[in-house]
Amino acid sequence: MGRFWVCLAGAGFLLALLVLHSRFCASPVLRKFAFQISWRTKEIPYRLDVGWPKHSEYFTGATFCVAIDSLSGLVYIAQRGDNIPKVLVFTEDGYFLRSWNYTVDTPHGIFAASTLHEQSVWITDVGSGSYGHTIKKYNSFGDLVQVLGTPGKKGTGLNPLQFDNPAELFVDDTGDIYIVDGDGGLNNRLIKLSQDFMMLWLHGERGTGPAKFNIPHSVTVDSSGRVWVADRGNKRIQVFDKDTGEWLGAWNNCFTEEGPSSIRFTPDGKYVVVAQLKLSRLLLVAAPPVGSISNCSVIGSIQLADQVLPHLLDVSGKTGAIYVAEIGAKQVQKYVPMNSHFPSFGS
């Protein structure tokens, strides 16, 4: 026991010498040590809500996507499988409300775009059946309202508009629609449509250069008018001007291991939440200021269990909670901010 205390005292003395040396001689040794300790012990500002949903038995297939209607407090989940309901509707508190299946073949992405006058849900369908290769608009109860694309026929055409494995879409506050078309299909393109479905601009070519894509998998728009695309196959995020479609820059330094599969902003616009499918990991990234894209800077991460496979996610505009659709675990999990107010990560 005496030897233990002698060793401990010696370690403490050595650490004190390092502190003094760093303070007076500007040595980087201790700074590196302190950074590693700070990083490893930094508290992740989210916790898993183990009580959400109240009844998980409604997950009966592979859960591919989730969308939050913050205005109505509803959570829409789309799942794949035979003879199961394809769309599940929960409250943000976790209570199951209803399900529907009409005209849904093989859902991939989902987006809730509600106003005070209308609750709408958009689904990208990558199926090979009579409803596949389309983007469809429904009301909250599953009634089909609008179909974009040529049902059951994949293609590259623009007039009439055709899709091949459309991955996801985002509808902004003006009603304009941003579509990433090409989850491994013929197309690798980003399309902007007006609220009356007129083509406004398009980037559409497979490649590694600016404004070219390899499996554009997720899309979102920030409050500064920038369009962010998870260019999964190229292991980067590309950014465009919302109005002109001009390419603004790209992030690739954060995704050397695996490309991003999903991207959303926190309600305050300060942070980006990114999913990496095969790594089963969520990244929390600092959003760049207006007028600059800069480099990707990871603030923290949430490591999920192996083979959970987070595919697409959404963030509640009201509470800041992150909902993650996990195709491996066949469930949707909810991560809530640790504090009552949205976390600031110390800023």
Side-chain angles (χ1 to χ4, degrees):
M1 179 63 69
R3 183 178 297 176
F4 168 79
W5 289 111
V6 170
C7 293
L8 185 62
F13 179 71
L14 178 61
L15 183 59
L17 287 177
L18 282 171
V19 170
L20 292 173
H21 186 63
S22 174
R23 182 178 182 87
F24 296 108
C25 303
S27 170
V29 175
L30 185 63
R31 285 200 296 270
K32 181 177 180 183
F33 174 78
F35 170 78
Q36 290 174 342
I37 295 297
S38 174
W39 178 256
R40 291 175 181 173
T41 60
K42 183 177 178 66
E43 181 178 313
I44 297 299
Y46 289 91
R47 63 173 177 83
L48 176 65
D49 185 348
V50 295
W52 198 97
K54 304 297 183 184
H55 301 283
S56 60
E57 63 268 20
Y58 291 102
F59 299 141
T60 53
T63 48
F64 267 71
C65 48
V66 57
I68 314 304
D69 178 356
S70 299
L71 192 62
S72 303
L74 300 179
V75 180
Y76 297 90
I77 297 165
Q79 59 181 0
R80 297 184 191 178
D82 297 327
N83 303 314
I84 64 170
K86 298 294 178 63
V87 180
L88 310 175
V89 186
F90 292 85
T91 66
E92 285 205 65
D93 293 329
Y95 292 98
F96 177 77
L97 295 180
R98 56 186 173 271
S99 63
W100 39 274
N101 200 34
Y102 177 60
T103 71
V104 182
D105 188 346
T106 308
H108 187 278
I110 190 169
F111 188 86
S114 293
T115 66
L116 293 175
H117 308 289
E118 180 187 42
Q119 293 182 4
S120 59
V121 183
W122 292 84
I123 295 177
T124 66
D125 198 323
V126 299
S128 56
S130 57
Y131 300 114
H133 302 295
T134 56
I135 298 175
K136 290 166 288 193
K137 178 182 179 181
Y138 299 86
N139 65 21
S140 181
F141 292 89
D143 298 320
L144 184 62
V145 177
Q146 180 72 43
V147 178
L148 303 180
T150 307
K153 295 183 179 180
K154 62 183 179 181
T156 62
L158 298 177
N159 189 20
L161 187 60
Q162 292 180 302
F163 302 110
D164 184 12
N165 291 352
E168 197 187 46
L169 78 157
F170 187 96
V171 183
D172 69 16
D173 293 338
T174 68
D176 290 342
I177 304 169
Y178 304 82
I179 300 167
V180 280
D181 177 26
D183 183 34
L186 296 170
N187 304 321
N188 284 275
R189 59 191 185 184
L190 167 65
I191 302 171
K192 180 179 180 180
L193 303 178
S194 66
Q195 57 183 318
D196 54 357
F197 315 122
M198 300 296 293
M199 181 79 66
L200 297 179
W201 51 259
L202 163 72
H203 291 293
E205 186 178 350
R206 182 182 176 91
T208 59
K212 297 182 180 180
F213 303 101
N214 180 12
I215 309 180
H217 199 262
S218 182
V219 59
T220 192
V221 180
D222 68 16
S223 59
S224 302
R226 297 175 294 191
V227 182
W228 299 71
V229 177
D231 189 5
R232 181 175 160 187
N234 284 327
K235 296 184 179 181
R236 64 184 178 181
I237 290 173
Q238 296 198 68
V239 190
F240 302 85
D241 182 87
K242 168 184 171 180
D243 296 321
T244 65
E246 177 188 358
W247 185 81
L248 300 178
W251 280 353
N252 52 29
N253 57 301
C254 290
F255 311 110
T256 55
E257 294 180 87
E258 184 191 3
S261 64
S262 187
I263 179 171
R264 286 292 185 267
F265 279 82
T266 56
D268 58 9
K270 293 182 179 180
Y271 304 98
V272 187
V273 186
V274 178
Q276 292 178 295
L277 179 72
K278 294 180 181 179
L279 292 176
S280 292
R281 183 168 66 188
L282 307 180
L283 298 180
L284 308 174
V285 184
V290 177
S292 172
I293 300 302
S294 65
N295 289 323
C296 177
S297 177
V298 176
I299 302 300
S301 64
I302 301 174
Q303 183 61 56
L304 310 179
D306 289 344
Q307 301 303 311
V308 163
L309 306 180
H311 185 246
L312 290 171
L313 61 84
D314 204 3
V315 178
S316 171
K318 183 180 296 183
T319 67
I322 304 170
Y323 295 79
V324 186
E326 303 168 348
I327 57 177
K330 296 184 177 181
Q331 64 183 3
V332 168
Q333 294 202 97
K334 177 183 180 181
Y335 293 85
V336 296
M338 295 288 285
N339 302 319
S340 57
H341 299 289
F342 195 77
S344 63
F345 294 89
S347 61

